[in-house]
Every structure is written in structure tokens, then in C-alpha cells.
Amino acid sequence: MMPGDSTMTSIVQRIARQALVTFRNPSVLGEENGKSFIENHGKLKSLMTEVRATDLKLVPRRADASAPRPAAYHHGVPPVTYMHICETDQFSMGVFLLKSGASIPLHDHPGMYGVLKVLYGKVRISCFDRLERHVGGTQAVPQLPSAQMGALRRSVLRSSAEYTEESGPCILSPDRDNLHQIDAVDGPTAFMDILAPPYDPDDGRDCHYYKVLTEAEPKPAEIKDQEVWLMEIPQPPHFWCGGEPYPGPEVHL
């Protein structure tokens, strides 16, 4: 098989190679107007649009085998599991599997890009961005003890939408849709996830969790670009992520 022969190369391998090309030079990731980055990022999104559960040898979990059991979660059964596919200094790639009723709480991706593609089931993704300064919003500052005021973050709800395997990928960047919450809807679900660069607390890319203090007021036509207040919180005790083996094609980089 020739190195460039895509007919014999799994789509998972092609996605990993394209991610490596797209994110290989972290020093220019912020230059989103760069022609090369835009072209490569577009190719990566196209490949992610094509991927299906069968490409990763994933069998959709049955709802009755993954029914909401909050008590069971606290006895060692994680609500979310992760299948590791590959990781380099430039990006990480894997699959998150959510049980029925499970949620990945609102969290951020400091200085990172992301591409998320649902493989089966349905998720609701609510995307937020932090606002670095006041931009004339109408939300009053929440009344909190002085010790908690430093954890407040003025933010904006960019969107809240449902995604299935027929949907295109959900995209985040360092300055757009960078915070999100992911909820399983109507049963278990799984999605493929690429983050670039990977989380690394030693390099300033730790994961922070938040809760919404002020709900956005619904608009008649759509829910987007509404200012809200978030408060940074510790990792919620009801959420943790276990691991399980990845059954799909190997990736070589």
C-alpha cells in the first residue's frame, strides 16, 4: 500500500493525519485568516463529517442497558467513558460515550481548537464564550459573598442545539464557542472528539468547570448571543470519566 493511498487507509487514520497537518504549527494557530490553516481546517471538518460509528467498530449502546441510575454512578459506574485513539503534542483524538441522562458539565478549552462529531444517539450542546470586558449587557451582577466574586465570569450564550450522527461537526476555537456543556438526549450517545493542542495543566491548559448563575432570556426566534453570568466551580461530584478500550482501526503517526 502506498502512503498516500486513501482507498486502503481507514478514515480514522486519514482524520488523524489531517489533524496533524492542520495543527502541526501551534505558533500560527491564532492566525485564522491564514489560507493554509483555513484550507486544512476545512479538510478536517469534511473528514469528520463523513465518519460513522461503524468506521470505529462501535456498536450503539442500548438505552435499556444504560438507563439513568444516579445511585449506581456513585458506586463506581462512571456516567461518561472515554476511548483513547491517539495523542501527539499537537492534538488528542478519542471517543466519549455518555450513558442515558448523562452530561459533561460546562467546561472550557483554554487556547484550544476542537472538533466534535456525534457517532450515534443525540446530544444537546450549549456553547458559551467569556467576555473579557463589559459590552453593555443588561444582566445585573449576581449578589454573592465577597469571597466568591472572583469566580464570576461575564459570558455570552452563543448557541444551544441538538446534534445527531446526521449533523455536521460542532466546532470550537480559542475565541469562539470555547465553553460548552454536552447532554445526552433520549438515550446513550457517543461522539468523536479532537482537541488541539491537548489539555496540559503544566502549559496553562487545565480544564475549568462552571455553572450558570443567570439564565438567558429566551428570544422568540432563536437562542444565541445572550449575556449570562457564570461562576467557576470545582469539578461537579456527580461527574467523572472512566476509560474503556478503543475497538477501531489503529492510528499510526
Side-chain angles (χ1 to χ4, degrees):
M1 179 179 66
M2 297 298 291
D5 185 2
S6 62
T7 62
M8 297 296 291
T9 304
S10 73
I11 189 170
V12 183
Q13 176 74 63
R14 285 186 281 143
I15 287 172
R17 287 178 179 170
Q18 185 59 48
L20 191 62
V21 170
T22 303
F23 302 115
R24 68 169 29 141
N25 192 347
S27 64
V28 299
L29 286 187
E31 300 173 10
E32 291 198 10
N33 292 326
K35 183 178 179 180
S36 177
F37 177 82
I38 292 174
E39 289 179 353
N40 282 313
H41 197 254
K43 292 176 182 177
L44 180 60
K45 288 189 289 185
S46 294
L47 286 170
M48 287 287 278
T49 299
E50 297 174 15
V51 72
R52 294 292 183 265
T54 52
D55 296 317
L56 284 74
K57 299 184 180 179
L58 289 182
V59 178
R61 307 285 165 90
R62 295 179 50 169
D64 60 356
S66 186
R69 297 190 186 95
Y73 294 162
H74 291 279
H75 286 85
V77 179
V80 178
T81 54
Y82 182 73
M83 294 177 173
H84 171 80
I85 298 177
C86 67
E87 180 169 328
T88 71
D89 290 341
Q90 288 75 37
F91 75 97
S92 61
M93 187 167 78
V95 177
F96 283 94
L97 301 97
L98 282 66
K99 291 180 168 57
S100 294
S103 173
I104 298 178
L106 181 59
H107 62 284
D108 63 1
H109 309 80
M112 299 156 68
Y113 289 83
V115 187
L116 181 162
K117 176 64 174 67
V118 174
L119 299 171
Y120 67 78
K122 182 190 297 183
V123 298
R124 171 166 288 277
I125 305 178
S126 300
C127 297
F128 298 76
D129 283 329
R130 285 182 57 177
L131 298 175
E132 296 304 322
R133 52 185 173 274
H134 182 59
V135 290
T138 58
Q139 290 282 8
V141 178
Q143 298 302 305
L144 296 172
S146 57
Q148 295 182 345
M149 293 300 289
L152 276 181
R153 306 287 184 267
R154 188 183 292 274
S155 305
V156 60
L157 172 62
R158 294 291 186 195
S159 64
S160 184
E162 292 183 349
Y163 292 78
T164 69
E165 61 184 301
E166 301 304 322
S167 306
C170 179
I171 307 296
L172 66 89
S173 74
D175 55 7
R176 186 74 180 187
D177 298 331
N178 190 264
L179 291 77
H180 62 206
Q181 176 169 320
I182 305 170
D183 303 301
V185 178
D186 300 332
T189 183
F191 61 86
M192 188 172 175
D193 189 62
I194 293 176
L195 291 177
Y199 281 114
D200 183 354
D202 294 333
D203 201 23
R205 295 189 304 278
D206 201 358
C207 184
H208 308 90
Y209 295 90
Y210 303 86
K211 69 176 179 180
V212 179
L213 293 185
T214 53
E215 297 293 341
E217 297 179 4
K219 295 181 180 179
E222 57 186 3
I223 301 176
K224 61 182 291 188
D225 293 349
Q226 298 187 68
E227 196 170 313
V228 297
W229 282 99
L230 305 180
M231 185 169 72
E232 186 174 339
I233 60 173
Q235 179 172 322
H238 63 272
F239 168 74
W240 73 99
C241 187
E244 58 180 291
Y246 163 65
E250 290 186 11
V251 169
H252 303 282
L253 295 172

